[in-house]
Amino acid sequence: MFRNQYDTDVTTWSPTGRLFQVEYAMEAVKQGSAAIGLRSRSHVVLACVNKAQSELSSHQKKIFKVDDHIGVAIAGLTADGRVLSRYMRSEAINHSFTYESPLPVGRLVVHLADKAQVCTQRSWKRPYGVGLLVGGLDESGAHLYYNCPSGNYFEYQAFAIGSRSQAAKTYLERRFESFGDASREDLIKDAILAVRETLQGETLKSSLCTVSVLGVGEPFHFLDQETIQKVIDTFEKVPEDEEGEAGEGEGEAEAAPAEHGDGGAGDQDVAPMEM
Amino acid sequence: MTKQHANWSPYDNNGGTCVAIAGSDYCVIAADTRMSTGYSILTRDYSKIHKLADKAVLSSSGFQADVKALQKVLKSRHLVYQHQHNKQMSCPAMAQLLSNTLYFKRFFPYYAFNVLSGLDEQGKGCVFTYDAVGSYEKVGYSAQGSGSTLIMPFLDNQLKSPSPLLLPAQDAITPLSEPEAVDLVKTVFASATERDIYTGDKLEIMILKADGIRTEVMDLRKD
């Protein structure tokens, strides 16, 4: 994308009818680490790559619980994503309070989209620099939406956003027709395989990805590292010495405290909102 | 010229009694299930006990519409807490939240007489008793509602709570075992039912322990 005289303000149109600031905001989404979402008729799986700033730090939280029946995965400016997640949680709680029933996913994404649109039409604001994959279950079934900084939203059977997401999208395009009737386990496996595509050569380990599931009779929750590793083991055969070496490096990254529940067994019982 | 008085009241009293007793590692919460208005019974099967968090249970008598509204507010606030802190609220934390929520409506109060009970962060039973505008105190046992005047003196006699004025401060927790406390509660309600017209039908008892919650129901006189 080239710099030009129409891209300083979000309130300035270009002669060809484009708002460059909005398009630049969409670029920010592409810079973030990958986030993937897929759905079947009864479940939605959100997965993301855990990219840490350095070996010393912990990775950023990219998947948030919005309510028992809705989760969101983000890519881009995670700070913007955190703020929007807080907004989504508050919308879900308020709807629940007023109507004594869970917020339909379609309504939530419209609120989000309208909020994003406001930032594209005010000279003192800037667009949100984050793309959101909103997955949820309501009376009309399982849904997966993508909300972008432009204020548009689309529904998907499966989608990937962030850096190297094209590889994941190619994989999903090949497989998406089978997702509708897929079992919960197959859906999770497909999500992890899609994450593997974005790693492009790097060995897939459970510490590199975060996976969350929600579905019929199953409130939103994160899968612990053991469960993810078991799925990885079904298709990934890693030579012993390579695993040992990489395992140590990952051990340091995992030991960093942070608010990231270390996916250990028992964490899910104690803290229902863990992660 | 005498002052004009309202010919309509926003409040009603649905009667009923709530009791809670704190033990060393358990908590017993009990309430009758009769809901009435004036001299009529609305239903014989209404639960006045509501779980707010894993370790905190609220039992309220008074105006049940206000009680319901109060429960909804606390439930929403608890969800916000869980999102922010990644864990459930402890009983003492919920106690303070309830107090603040009640005082927030100091000039149009929730007509609710609350007993909040559960396990504190050390796993010991705790009971907090409130007035309608949020004044609260941690106690070893409490009764609220239409039968409270009949029940409290008897609990004082049986549970010998030391005066908070005595120093050094003594624990308000009863040395009774859980089955003894449950039995005491049943006795106390059976007696209150005899003389309080608003208490009766059924008794719902919830026993909160570290490993979970157990519920018991006992019949009371239906007259």
Side-chain angles (χ1 to χ4, degrees), chain A residues 140-162:
Chain A
S140 55
H143 298 279
L144 176 69
Y145 291 92
Y146 170 54
N147 277 71
C148 49
S150 61
N152 281 327
Y153 66 95
F154 309 94
E155 185 162 9
Y156 287 94
Q157 183 78 49
F159 200 49
I161 55 176

Side-chain angles (χ1 to χ4, degrees), chain A residues 225-244:
Chain A
Q225 301 284 46
E226 280 173 51
T227 316
I228 300 175
Q229 192 57 52
K230 278 204 200 93
V231 178
I232 294 175
D233 289 338
T234 60
F235 54 77
E236 191 102 341
K237 298 286 180 281
V238 183
E240 277 303 307
D241 48 339
E242 198 187 314
E243 172 122 285

Side-chain angles (χ1 to χ4, degrees), chain B residues 12-17 32-48 62-68 197-202:
Chain B
D12 188 16
N13 192 342
N14 299 122
T17 312
D32 71 319
T33 61
R34 173 175 288 179
M35 186 167 158
S36 40
T37 177
Y39 287 126
S40 308
I41 291 181
L42 288 171
T43 179
R44 297 187 190 277
D45 204 5
Y46 189 82
S47 172
K48 290 194 260 287
F63 182 36
Q64 291 302 320
D66 272 359
V67 168
K68 186 98 200 179
I197 59 172
Y198 301 108
T199 302
D201 292 330
K202 280 201 284 288

Side-chain angles (χ1 to χ4, degrees), chain B residues 55-69:
Chain B
K55 304 272 169 73
V57 174
L58 177 66
S59 174
S60 327
S61 72
F63 182 36
Q64 291 302 320
D66 272 359
V67 168
K68 186 98 200 179

